[in-house]
Amino acid sequence: MHEVTQTQVEADIEQGEKYVVYFFSPFCGTCHKAEKILETLEELDLNETIVKANIQLMPWIAPVKSVPALVVFKHQKIQEIRYQMGPITELKEWFDEVVAPL
């Protein structure tokens, strides 16, 4: 999972493809734990690319109410928002059942 800039996020959303963004704040302890969970999930052959974005640098990108948050964009619109990052088995099921079909 790599961090992206506002310009990258806007350009990728504009392409209209499925785009999964993990919004975080560097001052959020829960965000650091969630990032480790997401990295583990990626290692389990998730078949989804997740990028991370600092919400404090781009709060207007998505109507995120709190962090950590996973936001799934497709066709330039938000399709899903998830705030709960664990347990990892539930998160994997969410990706398989909700995100993968998009």
Side-chain angles (χ1 to χ4, degrees), residues 54-78:
N54 184 341
I55 193 68
Q56 294 181 328
L57 300 177
M58 54 188 98
W60 50 88
I61 295 290
V64 173
K65 296 176 183 173
S66 67
V67 289
L70 278 171
V71 180
V72 182
F73 295 90
K74 189 167 183 183
H75 305 300
Q76 302 177 354
K77 294 182 180 172
I78 294 172

Side-chain angles (χ1 to χ4, degrees), residues 1-2 22 32-46 50 52 88 91:
M1 183 169 31
H2 66 280
Y22 163 64
H32 295 292
K33 291 179 183 178
E35 186 171 336
K36 291 187 185 306
I37 291 170
L38 292 171
E39 288 171 348
T40 301
L41 194 58
E42 282 185 315
E43 291 173 9
L44 295 174
D45 193 26
L46 184 60
I50 305 170
K52 67 179 189 175
I88 197 164
L91 195 55

